[in-house]
Amino acid sequence: MTILTDLRERTRTWHRGSYRFAQAFAVITVLCALAMLVDQRTLNGAPLWAKPFKFAVSAALYFFSWSWLVSLLPKFRRTANWLANALVVIFAAEYVLVIFQTVRVRASHFNNATPLDNTIFQIMGGMIAVLWVVNLVLTIAVLFTRLPDRATAWAARIGAILGMIGISLATLMSGPTPDQQAVLDATGQSAMIGAHTVGLPDGGPGLPILGWSTVGGDLRIPHFLGLHGLQALPLLALVLDVLAARYPRLRDDVLRLRLVVIAGVGYAGLLALLTWQALRGQSIVAPDGQTLTAFALLIAGVAFSGLIAIGRPAKDRELEASLR
């Protein structure tokens, strides 16, 4: 059986709408990459088509994950299907607005420069609020889902929670910056309200394609990391399951469960660290001593916990009972 055939078999029971949507965004990702090569224009210092590209990548990963997660829900399947369809419709509408603003060479987020720009951003904000609620309901459903492989079950639960946190972190970008607030207080209006860069205006030097600030804090980093915990943890569970064929020690489902939980705690710690770093106005490429120390302690803690987990007896009935 080929890899492609095996993938088709595995995805046969997945939620069709979000699965097809993820496939569509995989194609859109390629189209946006080509657009960046052909259209060399920039917007606020970044390639014009960089934002549609990044949104497409995130959407492909996000909806691919939810198409799988919805298929795991033994109860409320019809309701979950409707909610997943709602996610598709909401995100599709938001992406159309992102493309519309890109074609106009206008910022799609935080833009208050004209009545039309403000209206578009307000509509997008409303849609994101609805998406947040739908995502929360589906996350709660996943928390109560039981699977034969408990490592996968807990990877899905922790990943869904991390994804929820990642979406919620976007609210940190929505308020006016001190400079914007000063303009609002002085004139009653500001062309931009909200920003992802902390300590400096948006649009400064950034990492290629990603655009993450190299001179100030950037809240898009923890937002991105949290959102894609939804893929990282289940992927780890899958990798451990595959490696179990070669390494007999990993055939112990309790060990795989321990490693997934440790990775989830470590991922959450990294998310907190990057949020703390960004809020202090510190660039991802220029961490200070406090950030490096915290990161070193986090890595050491995860590594030590992993070694302890691997070294413990194969069956730990107390842990097994507590996580059921």
Side-chain angles (χ1 to χ4, degrees), residues 291-321:
T291 301
L292 290 174
T293 299
F295 181 68
L297 290 174
L298 177 64
I299 294 298
V302 170
F304 181 74
S305 300
L307 291 173
I308 293 297
I310 293 173
R312 292 182 68 177
K315 295 293 181 182
D316 189 331
R317 298 300 179 186
E318 182 178 350
L319 174 64
E320 183 176 2

Side-chain angles (χ1 to χ4, degrees), residues 12-34:
R12 193 176 297 278
T13 60
W14 291 11
H15 181 259
R16 290 294 92 188
S18 49
Y19 182 62
R20 297 301 184 196
F21 202 54
Q23 290 178 314
F25 268 103
V27 175
I28 292 172
T29 297
V30 175
L31 295 177
C32 288
L34 292 174

Side-chain angles (χ1 to χ4, degrees), residues 240-254:
L240 292 174
D241 187 51
V242 171
L243 290 176
R246 175 173 292 186
Y247 301 101
R249 183 71 179 90
L250 289 175
R251 294 171 191 166
D252 176 15
D253 63 337
V254 174

Side-chain angles (χ1 to χ4, degrees), residues 42-232:
T42 61
L43 178 61
N44 293 330
L48 179 62
W49 291 93
K51 177 170 284 188
F53 172 81
K54 291 184 288 185
F55 266 57
V57 171
S58 289
L61 295 172
Y62 177 81
F63 285 100
F64 188 80
S65 298
W66 273 116
S67 65
W68 168 63
L69 288 172
V70 169
S71 72
L72 303 180
L73 303 176
K75 299 179 180 179
F76 311 113
R77 177 69 65 82
R78 179 172 295 182
T79 301
N81 285 337
W82 277 103
L83 290 173
N85 287 333
L87 289 179
V88 168
V89 172
I90 293 168
F91 194 90
E94 182 182 8
Y95 195 74
V96 167
L97 292 177
V98 170
I99 294 296
F100 177 71
Q101 289 294 75
T102 299
V103 172
R104 296 178 65 229
V105 197
R106 306 285 294 180
S108 56
H109 288 69
F110 318 126
N111 196 344
N112 193 48
T114 69
L116 177 59
D117 292 327
N118 176 259
T119 299
I120 289 173
F121 184 53
Q122 293 303 320
I123 292 172
M124 291 174 65
M127 289 190 294
I128 289 300
V130 176
L131 186 145
W132 186 91
V133 173
V134 174
N135 197 94
L136 176 62
V137 174
L138 286 173
T139 297
I140 292 172
V142 170
L143 294 182
F144 292 95
T145 299
R146 295 194 175 206
L147 298 175
D149 182 66
R150 288 173 301 136
T152 301
W154 277 92
R157 292 166 185 164
I158 298 172
I161 292 173
L162 290 170
M164 196 70 230
I165 294 172
I167 292 176
S168 301
L169 286 174
T171 59
L172 296 175
M173 311 178 204
S174 60
T177 66
D179 289 343
Q180 291 168 354
Q181 187 62 56
V183 173
L184 282 169
D185 293 340
T187 66
Q189 60 183 7
S190 174
M192 301 292 286
I193 299 180
H196 49 73
T197 306
V198 179
L200 294 169
D202 285 347
L207 295 175
I209 305 301
L210 294 172
W212 297 341
S213 178
T214 56
V215 291
D218 199 318
L219 291 166
R220 291 174 298 182
I221 300 173
H223 173 59
F224 177 88
L225 185 77
L227 184 62
H228 294 298
L230 189 63
Q231 293 84 44

